[in-house]
Amino acid sequence: LLAISRMESGNMELNKTEFSVNDKLYDCMTRYKLLVEQEGYDIAYIPDEDRIVYADMEKIDQVIYNFINNAINYTGDEKVIRLVQKNKHGCVRIEVTDNGQGISKELLPKVFDRYYRGEKYKRDVVGTGLGLSICKEILKKHDFAFGVTSTEGVGSTFWFEMPTNDKKHTKRQPKEKDKEKPKEQQPKTTEAKE
């Protein structure tokens, strides 16, 4: 609580460095190996070509971790979660998608509020209810675009975008075994973004 109060008051400091998006996301995935092996979750990273970004790596790690943990709490019985990297002109978009019950249009603007908890979670919710509000403050401090899209009965996608320096793009291709086509989005979605 002290940490988020500090963030909201503008006292959060960023320790920005350049880092590889691929390396960061592969590293994030290692934390979920036991959930995949022991609890039957289908958690996968769908990479794009590597990009170099300039941000506070530790805090971006916290955002990704909170997005994935939120997906674990709310995903459907199939326990499918996708961490997706999408390279766009001038930025990298990171998405975390679950196959849960989705969020209603009325509640969507509130999901990043402190202590928000959805009514449709599938299992015991782990955490304090501060995770998404902490993500909001971190991403606002970076001045990164972020938001959520959701289709009731299909699932939700939480996302944020990090600017890239086009001249510093690396061209390392994603590993073949990690290539996977994401599920097609349903046409009718609701979205909230900052």
Side-chain angles (χ1 to χ4, degrees):
L1 193 59
L2 181 62
I4 194 168
S5 297
R6 189 177 296 130
M7 291 176 188
E8 289 175 341
S9 66
N11 291 329
M12 174 174 50
E13 293 184 4
L14 298 179
N15 180 24
K16 292 185 177 182
T17 58
E18 289 188 340
F19 60 91
S20 154
V21 173
N22 281 176
D23 288 349
K24 178 75 271 175
L25 298 183
Y26 280 121
D27 179 62
C28 287
M29 290 300 296
T30 62
R31 298 178 183 175
Y32 299 97
K33 190 175 179 182
L34 280 178
L35 270 180
V36 171
E37 293 175 352
Q38 297 181 4
E39 302 292 335
Y41 282 86
D42 178 3
I43 306 175
Y45 166 38
I46 303 171
D48 205 334
E49 286 185 355
D50 198 13
R51 292 290 184 264
I52 301 299
V53 294
Y54 182 66
D56 186 318
M57 185 167 62
E58 186 176 314
K59 288 185 172 62
I60 294 302
D61 183 77
Q62 189 176 0
V63 170
I64 297 166
Y65 182 69
N66 279 328
F67 277 8
I68 294 175
N69 285 354
N70 184 72
I72 288 168
N73 286 332
Y74 291 94
T75 198
D77 292 334
E78 295 87 358
K79 299 182 177 181
V80 175
I81 297 166
R82 291 291 177 266
L83 172 62
V84 182
Q85 173 191 348
K86 292 182 178 178
N87 295 341
K88 300 170 68 176
H89 180 68
C91 73
V92 176
R93 184 179 177 111
I94 307 300
E95 299 180 348
V96 176
T97 299
D98 65 59
N99 68 337
Q101 290 301 304
I103 306 163
S104 69
K105 189 175 181 179
E106 295 73 29
L107 291 176
L108 208 59
K110 301 177 182 178
V111 296
F112 286 100
D113 292 350
R114 193 188 296 190
Y115 302 122
Y116 169 82
R117 283 235 170 106
E119 298 174 355
K120 300 176 180 177
Y121 54 84
K122 297 292 292 184
R123 48 199 59 83
D124 292 337
V125 175
V126 178
T128 60
L130 294 172
L132 292 178
S133 59
I134 288 172
C135 293
K136 174 183 175 180
E137 296 305 322
I138 290 172
L139 294 169
K140 281 174 65 178
K141 183 72 174 180
H142 279 84
D143 200 24
F144 289 170
F146 66 96
V148 55
T149 60
S150 190
T151 303
E152 289 194 83
V154 176
S156 303
T157 297
F158 286 81
W159 61 269
F160 67 97
E161 294 178 348
M162 297 183 287
T164 58
N165 183 339
D166 289 340
K167 294 178 182 178
K168 290 189 176 182
H169 283 176
T170 61
K171 296 295 182 184
R172 188 175 71 191
Q173 294 289 336
K175 298 173 185 175
E176 285 298 321
K177 67 182 180 67
D178 293 300
K179 287 186 177 178
E180 179 181 340
K181 289 186 178 178
K183 293 186 299 182
E184 289 186 7
Q185 284 278 15
Q186 296 295 318
K188 293 182 180 179
T189 62
T190 51
E191 179 167 11
K193 60 183 177 181
E194 292 284 331

